[in-house]
Amino acid sequence: MAFESLTDKLQNVFKNLRGKGRLTEEDVKTALKEVKMALLEADVNFKVVKKFIASVQERAVGEDVLNGLNPGQMVIKIVNEEMTALMGSETTELKLLPINEITVIMMCGLQGAGKTTTAAKIAGKLKMKGRKPLLAACDIYRPAAIDQLKINAEKQQVDFFSMGTDVSPVEIAKASVEQAKKKGNNVVIVDTAGRLQIDEGMMKELCDIKEAIEVHQSLLVVDAMTGQDAVNVASEFNEKVGIDGIILSKMDGDSRGGAALSAKSVTGKPILYVGMGEKLSDLEQFYPDRMASRILGMGDVLSLIDKAIEANAERDAEKDKEMASKMKKGKIDFEMYLESMKQMRNMGGFASIMGMLPGMGKISDDQLPDEKKLAKMEAIVLSMTPEERRNPKLMSPQRKFRIAKGSGNDIADVNRFIKQFEQMQKMMKQMPGLMGGKRGGFGKFGGLGGFGKNRFF
């Protein structure tokens, strides 16, 4: 996951700061020297790091901080604020024309950055907001680019437009706007061709499209895993074509995260979204303050809530109320377990959720539920009859044997699963506040799970 190494290093620096009752100017400088090295190793632009450290130091060595009641925490607060400012301070929304007009969005970037997939992800997001997008295939060079966009358009259930590979991208772009007028689309997303590297032909084609049609938003997709190169690419595109915003793809990969911390400062253009997975729903709005909190190991509860809301957007409100009522009373059943697992997957999985909770980012892989074990448990529940799922008390030895055989598990696995389920029921009865009451609300986050030695999974 992006920033993992940087987060670990910064947390160690802050741990030392918190451990000191009073801070001297030398303490701050030593800590910031370590922060500087951590940022450079994360592939953050050198000029950006230099400016960032200077800003933090200027604020952190002030008399109010060093002589305050909790100077260590004050320094951490300053680092958080400066890091947020570095990434843009405020969230920048995609600018769209009124709903009765057509907004044209041009996607650009190098080949392999994830442009085509990101175009479909944006189309899906806009559709959820009540827009009617049209995906236009203007990449006539890459094999299967048109087919890929068409398949993704079908998955997102949005309109698609193509004229094949024998028509110029400029003509296709012009025709797509005319198509949108006929079909009533109010957003046209033009998927342009990428190259393995920046070349004049590529830039000219993008400029020709912008001359032929009115492009309202030019979005650059860059691969976060390319680190500093991503920022260099962004600078070049901005200089030669002109971009309005940046989308960082593959932020869920093993990237050092430098692009996210450098892009805004170097190009002056905001980061609009970050791609956090391969699924078409894995595109997150970029919030500088939330990203700073993630980097500093403080969690990101607000994004977790957003994920929960999105995962529950199409759910039945009455069903939710019924589930919440049962959970408060500790009356859970296996149907609720299945629903809980479904919600967890929709939110990116258990590891993704835990990474957004403060203090949970350091949980090791062996403490997290094993995906294979989760699949086994799910198979056990799916092998039950609807009546058995709704009423766990029906579980007789004969039923358990049948369920074990049907799910391909040992009877011992079934017995263990059911026993742990019963323990979870008892625990929920003792902890109603955590199951959707005023103090909690974990029901929304797939609250039937647990982790550690006695985990439900």
Side-chain angles (χ1 to χ4, degrees):
M1 188 65 71
F3 299 119
E4 194 170 327
S5 177
L6 176 59
T7 299
D8 289 345
K9 287 172 185 173
L10 291 179
Q11 282 187 323
N12 286 333
V13 175
F14 297 150
K15 186 179 178 183
N16 293 333
L17 281 179
R18 288 193 194 98
K20 295 178 182 285
R22 295 290 296 273
L23 290 181
T24 64
E25 190 170 323
E26 195 56 39
D27 289 331
V28 174
K29 286 182 178 178
T30 301
L32 290 182
K33 190 176 180 181
E34 292 179 48
V35 171
K36 178 181 178 180
M37 291 306 298
L39 291 172
L40 289 172
E41 286 174 21
D43 219 4
V44 182
N45 179 278
F46 174 73
K47 290 180 182 177
V48 172
V49 174
K50 191 177 177 182
K51 187 179 176 184
F52 172 78
I53 294 298
S55 298
V56 173
Q57 187 165 311
E58 187 180 344
R59 293 180 60 189
V61 297
E63 196 175 322
D64 291 346
V65 174
L66 295 180
N67 296 327
L69 290 173
N70 206 323
Q73 287 189 356
M74 280 299 294
V75 173
I76 296 165
K77 181 175 181 286
I78 291 167
V79 171
N80 188 11
E81 288 171 355
E82 289 295 327
M83 193 170 278
T84 301
L86 188 69
M87 293 186 285
S89 292
E90 294 181 0
T91 302
T92 305
E93 297 277 351
L94 186 61
K95 292 176 183 174
L96 301 172
L97 297 179
I99 203 160
N100 60 337
E101 297 179 49
I102 298 173
T103 303
V104 178
I105 299 170
M106 183 174 77
M107 309 295 295
C108 49
L110 297 183
Q111 191 170 309
K115 229 176 17 286
T116 301
T117 305
T118 302
K121 287 179 178 181
I122 290 174
K125 275 199 171 293
L126 295 179
K127 183 190 172 191
M128 285 177 68
K129 291 181 179 180
R131 297 279 176 161
K132 191 181 178 187
L134 172 71
L135 283 168
C138 292
D139 182 354
I140 63 171
Y141 311 105
R142 181 170 64 89
I146 295 173
D147 290 339
Q148 183 189 353
L149 191 66
K150 184 180 180 182
I151 290 166
N152 285 340
E154 288 170 357
K155 286 180 180 177
Q156 296 287 56
Q157 296 182 325
V158 297
D159 293 332
F160 168 78
F161 180 77
S162 167
M163 295 175 74
T165 58
D166 297 327
V167 183
S168 77
V170 174
E171 292 304 316
I172 297 170
K174 286 164 67 175
S176 68
V177 175
E178 293 304 314
Q179 175 79 354
K181 289 176 183 175
K182 290 177 190 173
K183 297 289 185 179
N185 300 98
N186 48 24
V187 179
V188 175
I189 302 174
V190 179
D191 180 36
T192 66
R195 303 285 193 279
L196 291 174
Q197 59 187 19
I198 292 171
D199 61 48
E200 291 304 316
M202 173 196 204
M203 295 301 187
K204 186 178 185 304
E205 185 171 283
L206 294 173
C207 291
D208 288 346
I209 290 174
K210 290 185 83 167
E211 283 181 18
I213 59 173
E214 186 178 3
V215 175
H216 304 97
Q217 291 278 281
S218 297
L219 305 183
L220 177 69
V221 181
V222 290
D223 182 347
M225 294 179 73
T226 59
Q228 189 56 44
D229 283 345
V231 181
N232 297 334
V233 167
S235 296
E236 192 111 3
F237 269 89
N238 187 42
E239 184 184 324
K240 295 186 176 178
V241 180
I243 59 173
D244 300 296
I246 299 166
I247 299 169
L248 292 177
S249 64
K250 307 178 189 179
M251 278 290 284
D252 58 317
D254 188 22
S255 65
R256 287 175 285 181
L261 286 164
S262 307
K264 173 66 167 69
S265 185
V266 172
T267 65
K269 302 301 177 181
I271 300 170
L272 301 178
Y273 298 104
V274 287
M276 298 300 290
E278 294 179 4
K279 290 192 294 184
L280 291 177
S281 57
D282 292 334
L283 187 71
E284 294 182 10
Q285 183 85 43
F286 184 77
Y287 296 93
D289 54 341
R290 298 186 193 181
M291 187 59 75
S293 290
R294 281 196 211 185
I295 294 168
L296 299 179
M298 299 174 182
D300 184 3
V301 176
L302 290 175
S303 288
L304 181 56
I305 291 169
D306 285 348
K307 277 179 174 279
I309 291 169
E310 198 169 308
N312 285 276
E314 296 179 9
R315 286 170 46 77
D316 189 306
E318 287 302 315
K319 191 176 180 181
D320 270 352
K321 276 186 185 177
E322 185 184 341
M323 277 183 69
S325 176
K326 284 183 178 179
M327 291 179 94
K328 283 179 185 178
K329 296 172 185 174
K331 294 181 179 179
I332 62 170
D333 56 34
F334 292 112
E335 290 276 12
M336 292 169 72
Y337 171 82
L338 284 180
E339 190 63 33
S340 180
M341 291 301 98
K342 181 183 174 184
Q343 285 186 56
M344 203 174 289
R345 275 197 298 272
N346 288 344
M347 291 166 64
F350 206 95
S352 173
I353 293 169
M354 298 312 293
M356 290 186 182
L357 293 173
M360 293 297 196
K362 280 188 166 292
I363 290 177
S364 60
D365 290 342
D366 61 344
Q367 289 178 291
L368 290 170
D370 183 273
E371 290 296 330
K372 289 182 180 177
K373 285 184 181 178
L374 290 179
K376 281 179 71 173
M377 301 305 105
E378 199 165 8
I380 289 172
V381 179
L382 289 171
S383 296
M384 298 176 185
T385 65
E387 192 180 12
E388 288 166 346
R389 287 181 213 161
R390 287 190 288 268
N391 188 359
K393 291 180 180 179
L394 291 175
M395 290 300 162
S396 63
Q398 292 87 349
R399 288 176 187 261
K400 289 177 185 177
F401 272 108
R402 192 202 77 245
I403 291 165
K405 191 175 180 182
S407 64
N409 285 289
D410 294 332
I411 185 65
D413 291 328
V414 176
N415 282 327
R416 192 182 305 113
F417 174 72
I418 291 172
K419 186 178 180 181
Q420 288 175 338
F421 192 92
E422 290 168 350
Q423 289 173 345
M424 183 62 66
Q425 281 181 312
K426 290 176 185 176
M427 194 161 63
M428 284 190 176
K429 284 179 182 176
Q430 294 166 6
M431 300 167 65
L434 290 177
M435 294 303 126
K438 290 179 182 178
R439 291 173 291 153
F442 278 88
K444 284 277 184 186
F445 304 136
L448 302 184
F451 57 93
K453 188 187 287 186
N454 298 314
R455 64 178 177 238
F456 180 42
F457 309 104

